[in-house]
Amino acid sequence: MRTTKKASHKKRWAIIGVLIVIILAVGGGYYWNMGHSVAKRIPGNTYRYQSTANDKSLYLTFSKNDNKVVVNQNKTIALDAAQSQSAFDKEYTTQSKTINWSYKAEGGTLTLAQLKANKVSQWQYNKILATSNKFTARSFTYQIAQAGQGQVKGKAVFEKVN
Amino acid sequence: MNKKQIVGATIASALLFAPLIAQTTTVLADSFYANQTNAERADITNWVANTSEQISSNISAQHIDVNNLNQSDQNKYVIQWGDTLSGISAATGISVRQLAYDNNIRNIDLIYAGDTLMLNRDGYVPTDWYYYGDGWQVANTKVTINNFTENSDNSTHIDVSPVSVDDHSKTTNNYQSPADESSSGKTATGTSEADETDNDSTALSDSAATTSTSSTTKEADSTSSDKETNSTTTTNRLDEDEFGEAINDKLATKLDLDDETTDKLTVDFTAATDDDATTDTESNDDAESTVTDDDAAASDEDTDTDTEDNDTQTVYTEDQTITTNSTTLTTKNANKVAKKIYKQLKADDKLSDLDAADEIEVTVTATADGFDFNVTLTTEAAADNDSSESTTDADEASDSNTDSESESDSDSTSSEDEDSNDSVTTDSETTVNTTDVDE
């Protein structure tokens, strides 16, 4: 009788242990996926970024096929660029008259680069957690031509708008 | 409380609060930066052009009525992050040319956030006024936005860079504001940055002496609204155009040229290179005019307006040498050079010739030991001087050739030597920047 009770107790703990492992595995996997999925989530989509001072918004439409990105304060232009490849190319060509923007996403990192008058400025967003409707960076590193460089520890949120 | 005590208290209070009051009035433009964190300054939104609607909103926020922008109102707009001169033009209805003239901006692609812009719709712009740029570049920063939080070596690390090698071969980055008077003291890492500035100067000096450094970046040339905000750079390295401008400004002051006559003075500065030296020699061998212009626009206009009836003469048959402790391209050095040029002209009794001339062109060339200079004077000659006319015409033809050579030289070398002296590394496809700082 006592042996049966002990075995049952043991079995219960084993089940709980397995459940915990499963939960941890699923949760960890989900977290890991959030931390490494920005590269596959952003192509073809438009995101809105609110400035640190909360006074301006920026809209970014990432190309599906290459590393180009349309960056604009005008939401309509950004959304238009997300309609089709030809629409994107049109907006990007217009933008390229003054400035070239490109991006690279890898793991939990996204870098936006600006090429203007033969000078490169880059903003690298670090430790990104991405979901289907937004991604959040914990800090960003910047190198801005003729301006400065450094790192800012603070949340940067990009909300999907298309 | 007797009268003495009241007077004493008043004086004490005045002494106590005077610095505060003075500061408030003198650093109005700089207050733009005062309440901002580095995070706010470095924010990517600041480096994307504002829409004209956004600029209109900014203008309204400063209580400026865009429907009433005449001269009498003296409307002054503090340039905001993301502003472009063309955007401001669109938002106000004032032409870019008018904005540039009213605010003495030659390079309309180099404006600074926090600077004050005079908005005047009814103004007059002289026909010979020129500017360059397209006005689409966003306002730059007057302070260097360095914010090193982790690295003791004052570097940032871009791990993932989208910029390809091909792009980088064309890029020359310098992560310091061209208007920043001194990066030290403005960040948490002031001391080491001051060291970096020293390194900058040394590096530039070296390159000026030994390599072709025709850095023709447009940003360099702005006389901009710095004049209004007194953002005089004294220690930062300058490029050739800026250095020439600085000499020009100082020399104009020394020669007592007022606003109307200051245009007759031009300073053409060339860093010492083999190619440039060849060009200079060719020009000087003519024994007469050496017309060199800062940019194509000026070149075109000058050629159009000065093709007839001009006598040109070179003040010295050989270039004069100025010895300086350093050949670093800084405002301080530019002022020194200007003073020495003035001193020598005065000592040689040439000032009266300069007064009589309609155009004064000072050619300054950097050498290993200092600077060489010469002065070319142009005077409007009488119409009946046939022989001089024909000579002048011939010279102009050769001058235009010289000009085009100089321009092509500049273009081909402009991207190579502008050094960045902050330590910057990029792991990904390429290195963003050459590193000159000795660790």
Side-chain angles (χ1 to χ4, degrees):
Chain A
M1 182 74 177
R2 182 181 266 184
T3 313
T4 313
K5 198 175 179 183
K6 203 174 177 182
S8 169
H9 197 69
K10 209 173 179 181
K11 194 177 176 185
R12 191 190 304 158
W13 278 111
I15 292 168
I16 291 171
V18 168
L19 282 175
I20 288 171
V21 167
I22 290 171
I23 289 167
L24 283 176
V26 170
Y30 182 70
Y31 186 82
W32 189 91
N33 185 53
M34 282 204 303
H36 291 78
S37 63
V38 65
K40 67 180 180 191
R41 289 189 189 276
I42 59 175
N45 290 316
T46 301
Y47 288 82
R48 172 179 175 267
Y49 169 73
Q50 184 79 31
S51 70
T52 311
N54 284 323
D55 59 346
K56 277 196 279 190
S57 291
L58 200 63
Y59 295 90
L60 306 104
T61 301
F62 297 91
S63 170
K64 266 184 189 171
N65 306 319
D66 50 33
N67 69 345
K68 294 174 182 172
V69 54
V70 170
V71 181
N72 209 291
Q73 288 194 25
N74 189 321
K75 186 178 181 181
T76 311
I77 290 174
L79 287 175
D80 281 351
Q83 294 300 313
S84 64
Q85 186 60 43
S86 59
F88 181 91
D89 291 340
K90 186 186 161 200
E91 296 297 348
Y92 190 81
T93 305
T94 307
Q95 174 182 273
S96 298
K97 287 173 186 169
T98 54
I99 201 163
N100 278 311
W101 282 96
S102 55
Y103 79 97
K104 186 173 184 181
E106 207 174 80
T109 306
L110 166 70
T111 302
L112 296 163
Q114 180 194 75
L115 180 61
K116 179 178 71 175
N118 287 339
K119 293 182 178 64
V120 172
S121 300
Q122 298 187 91
W123 289 261
Q124 178 182 277
Y125 294 90
N126 308 310
K127 296 179 181 173
I128 291 175
L129 293 177
T131 62
S132 58
N133 58 357
K134 70 175 181 182
F135 64 89
T136 306
R138 276 199 237 166
S139 68
F140 71 91
T141 308
Y142 62 90
Q143 292 175 347
I144 308 170
Q146 295 197 303
Q149 56 178 322
Q151 191 176 58
V152 170
K153 304 225 182 230
K155 217 161 66 167
V157 182
F158 294 77
E159 292 171 282
K160 193 171 160 187
V161 292
N162 65 331
Chain B
M1 191 179 276
N2 61 28
K3 275 185 182 177
K4 271 186 181 175
Q5 284 175 318
I6 292 170
V7 172
T10 309
I11 292 170
S13 302
L15 287 172
L16 190 64
F17 294 111
L20 290 176
I21 295 164
Q23 195 177 18
T24 309
T25 52
T26 55
V27 297
L28 189 64
D30 289 338
S31 67
F32 175 83
Y33 297 94
N35 298 320
Q36 292 176 348
T37 62
N38 277 327
E40 289 169 346
R41 293 172 187 162
D43 196 275
I44 194 170
T45 54
N46 293 339
W47 311 93
V48 177
N50 288 336
T51 59
S52 57
E53 290 80 14
Q54 174 79 43
I55 295 174
S56 294
S57 167
N58 292 341
I59 291 171
S60 300
Q62 294 182 31
H63 309 293
I64 296 171
D65 180 9
V66 289
N67 297 316
N68 192 18
L69 294 174
N70 53 47
Q71 201 160 12
S72 59
D73 289 336
Q74 297 284 306
N75 292 300
K76 288 180 178 175
Y77 170 66
V78 178
I79 298 171
Q80 302 295 304
W81 292 117
D83 282 357
T84 60
L85 210 64
S86 60
I88 295 169
S89 168
T92 58
I94 303 171
S95 70
V96 169
R97 183 178 170 80
Q98 178 81 57
L99 283 169
Y101 177 73
D102 286 343
N103 296 280
N104 195 23
I105 300 172
R106 289 284 187 189
N107 179 0
I108 61 171
D109 281 332
L110 184 62
I111 57 174
Y112 291 101
D115 269 0
T116 306
L117 210 56
M118 184 81 76
L119 302 178
N120 172 26
R121 193 176 284 150
D122 303 330
Y124 157 80
V125 182
T127 50
D128 61 346
W129 167 261
Y130 70 92
Y131 63 89
Y132 57 89
D134 50 30
W136 290 340
Q137 305 297 341
V138 299
N140 212 325
T141 174
K142 289 174 74 178
V143 298
T144 298
I145 315 169
N146 283 353
N147 188 43
F148 304 110
T149 54
E150 284 182 343
N151 304 312
S152 57
D153 62 347
N154 292 346
S155 66
T156 53
H157 198 73
I158 298 291
D159 303 306
V160 178
S161 174
V163 186
S164 69
V165 174
D166 287 344
D167 288 336
H168 268 302
S169 64
K170 296 184 292 184
T171 62
T172 51
N173 272 356
N174 172 17
Y175 300 111
Q176 186 172 14
S177 167
D180 192 4
E181 190 168 330
S182 169
S183 57
S184 60
K186 290 184 177 175
T187 67
T189 55
T191 309
S192 50
E193 281 180 33
D195 293 340
E196 285 177 13
T197 307
D198 290 341
N199 287 341
D200 289 358
S201 305
T202 310
L204 191 72
S205 173
D206 290 343
S207 63
T210 58
T211 62
S212 176
T213 56
S214 305
S215 52
T216 54
T217 50
K218 291 179 178 179
E219 288 81 352
D221 238 355
S222 173
T223 53
S224 185
S225 42
D226 290 1
K227 287 179 181 175
E228 287 187 11
T229 55
N230 296 324
S231 62
T232 310
T233 304
T234 55
T235 55
N236 277 358
R237 68 205 173 94
L238 308 174
D239 70 14
E240 276 185 53
D241 293 335
E242 281 179 315
F243 193 74
E245 285 277 347
I247 296 174
N248 195 334
D249 291 347
K250 187 68 182 174
L251 200 53
T253 310
K254 299 291 284 179
L255 291 172
D256 277 340
L257 299 179
D258 56 26
D259 289 344
E260 289 177 3
T261 56
T262 192
D263 285 345
K264 78 177 189 177
L265 173 68
T266 53
V267 173
D268 176 39
F269 173 72
T270 313
T273 65
D274 292 341
D275 292 342
D276 291 343
T278 308
T279 307
D280 287 343
T281 309
E282 286 170 5
S283 305
N284 291 331
D285 284 349
D286 289 343
E288 286 193 3
S289 68
T290 51
V291 179
T292 33
D293 297 314
D294 286 337
D295 57 56
S299 173
D300 292 343
E301 288 183 15
D302 288 352
T303 307
D304 290 344
T305 54
D306 298 340
T307 50
E308 291 176 5
D309 300 336
N310 287 343
D311 275 344
T312 58
Q313 64 170 53
T314 310
V315 172
Y316 297 106
T317 51
E318 290 183 354
D319 285 356
Q320 303 297 298
T321 302
I322 299 170
T323 310
T324 54
N325 293 334
S326 149
T327 55
T328 312
L329 304 190
T330 60
T331 306
K332 193 177 173 184
N333 240 359
N335 291 343
K336 272 187 191 172
V337 171
K339 280 179 188 172
K340 291 199 172 185
I341 291 172
Y342 176 79
K343 212 172 174 181
Q344 181 152 349
L345 289 168
K346 194 177 179 184
D348 297 338
D349 272 342
K350 303 291 185 187
L351 294 180
S352 55
D353 295 343
L354 266 64
D355 283 343
D358 295 311
E359 283 181 30
I360 307 164
E361 292 190 25
V362 182
T363 312
V364 183
T365 309
T367 63
D369 304 323
F371 299 89
D372 286 349
F373 84 94
N374 209 334
V375 181
T376 305
L377 304 177
T378 307
T379 314
E380 286 182 14
D384 56 356
N385 192 348
D386 292 336
S387 60
S388 68
E389 273 184 23
S390 60
T391 307
T392 306
D393 289 343
D395 289 339
E396 276 160 3
S398 66
D399 289 341
S400 63
N401 291 336
T402 307
D403 286 348
S404 61
E405 284 173 21
S406 303
E407 282 161 19
S408 61
D409 287 345
S410 300
D411 290 340
S412 62
T413 57
S414 62
S415 63
E416 293 173 7
D417 298 312
E418 188 180 320
D419 50 336
S420 169
N421 306 286
D422 298 328
S423 177
V424 178
T425 54
T426 305
D427 271 358
S428 184
E429 298 167 25
T430 183
T431 301
V432 169
N433 197 359
T434 55
T435 303
D436 292 333
V437 175
D438 298 329
E439 296 292 338

